[in-house]
Amino acid sequence: LTASEEVRTFISSTRVMDVVITETAPEKGGDAPRPEEKKKLNVQQIITRMTMSQKIKLAMSGAKDARGILIREASKLIALSVLANPRLTIGEVEFFAKSQNLSEDVIRKIGTNAEWSRKQTVVSALVNNPKTPVGISLTFVNRLGEKDLGLLEKSRNIPAPVRTAARNLLVRKKMGKG
């Protein structure tokens, strides 16, 4: 999987690969090995059979479905490699920012990326994600509208300092208007 650009292109452009498995067990009556059997594996099965270096290379050059699986890897190195993929779209980043089952390091990386944090949808997703570090959430609270601040203030999944900051900002915005 790491040998050529042609193989990487093939991996990134297909959802299911044909993997040829040769069994050397003899058939019932003879010594000859069985003919080759083709077995289709989905992306998840392929990824589970990969080594760490293969997963990192796939994370940095793979397709959307591979990125979606690899971002949830236990290894921080693999998950952060997905964010270095040049084909990563803002929609995927927004989905990752909303996801509560990603590591804190991945959320932190999304929050500190200037290009991604310009988008209001990503900012809102990060602030509403309970796994987002408090320091990052607090920097984005100022950019939320009154409706978002009201929802954030009432949410029990959000850390207390973020809720308090949302409440204070909401009071200041209402006082300024009326």
Side-chain angles (χ1 to χ4, degrees), residues 59-60 62-64 67-68 71 79-94 96 110 113 115-116:
M60 295 179 91
K64 183 177 180 178
R67 291 191 299 262
I71 194 80
L80 291 174
S81 295
V82 171
L83 298 178
N85 190 320
R87 294 192 290 169
L88 191 66
T89 64
I90 196 70
E92 287 175 281
V93 172
E94 181 183 345
F96 296 155
I110 292 170
N113 185 303
E115 181 183 343
W116 297 333

Side-chain angles (χ1 to χ4, degrees), residues 11-16 42-44 47 62-72 92:
I11 289 172
S12 63
S13 66
T14 55
R15 295 181 62 86
V16 177
N42 65 24
V43 176
Q44 177 70 43
I47 289 173
K64 183 177 180 178
D65 48 353
R67 291 191 299 262
I69 294 168
L70 290 171
I71 194 80
R72 289 173 178 76
E92 287 175 281

Side-chain angles (χ1 to χ4, degrees), residues 1-173:
L1 293 176
T2 61
S4 69
E5 184 65 28
E6 181 180 297
V7 172
R8 276 191 245 138
T9 304
F10 177 75
I11 289 172
S12 63
S13 66
T14 55
R15 295 181 62 86
V16 177
M17 287 187 352
D18 288 334
V19 178
V20 178
I21 300 173
T22 306
E23 299 209 13
T24 57
E27 292 181 5
K28 288 183 181 176
D31 294 319
R34 286 188 194 167
E36 292 182 350
E37 295 179 7
K38 283 193 174 186
K39 184 178 179 184
K40 287 192 176 217
L41 299 176
N42 65 24
V43 176
Q44 177 70 43
Q45 292 167 330
I46 294 167
I47 289 173
T48 57
R49 294 178 182 195
M50 288 181 165
T51 65
M52 179 86 151
S53 62
Q54 289 172 331
K55 287 180 183 180
I56 291 171
K57 288 179 182 178
L58 182 61
M60 295 179 91
S61 64
K64 183 177 180 178
D65 48 353
R67 291 191 299 262
I69 294 168
L70 290 171
I71 194 80
R72 289 173 178 76
E73 280 285 323
S75 169
K76 180 171 74 170
L77 189 58
I78 294 171
L80 291 174
S81 295
V82 171
L83 298 178
N85 190 320
R87 294 192 290 169
L88 191 66
T89 64
I90 196 70
E92 287 175 281
V93 172
E94 181 183 345
F95 178 75
F96 296 155
K98 287 180 185 176
S99 183
Q100 295 180 12
N101 59 353
L102 296 182
S103 74
E104 186 177 311
D105 296 316
V106 173
I107 301 291
R108 183 182 308 277
K109 178 80 171 176
I110 292 170
T112 56
N113 185 303
E115 181 183 343
W116 297 333
S117 60
R118 275 190 236 131
K119 300 287 185 184
Q120 186 63 31
T121 55
V122 174
V123 168
S124 178
L126 284 171
V127 172
N128 287 303
N129 189 339
K131 281 248 184 137
T132 305
V134 174
I136 291 176
S137 292
L138 288 175
T139 61
F140 292 139
V141 168
N142 300 351
R143 295 178 46 190
L144 298 176
E146 285 188 29
K147 183 179 178 184
D148 290 331
L149 288 171
L151 293 173
L152 191 63
E153 173 189 21
K154 295 174 185 167
S155 176
R156 294 292 167 203
N157 293 332
I158 308 302
V162 178
R163 284 198 320 259
T164 304
R167 183 178 308 115
N168 293 341
L169 189 58
L170 188 61
V171 167
R172 271 190 268 141
K173 283 188 175 190

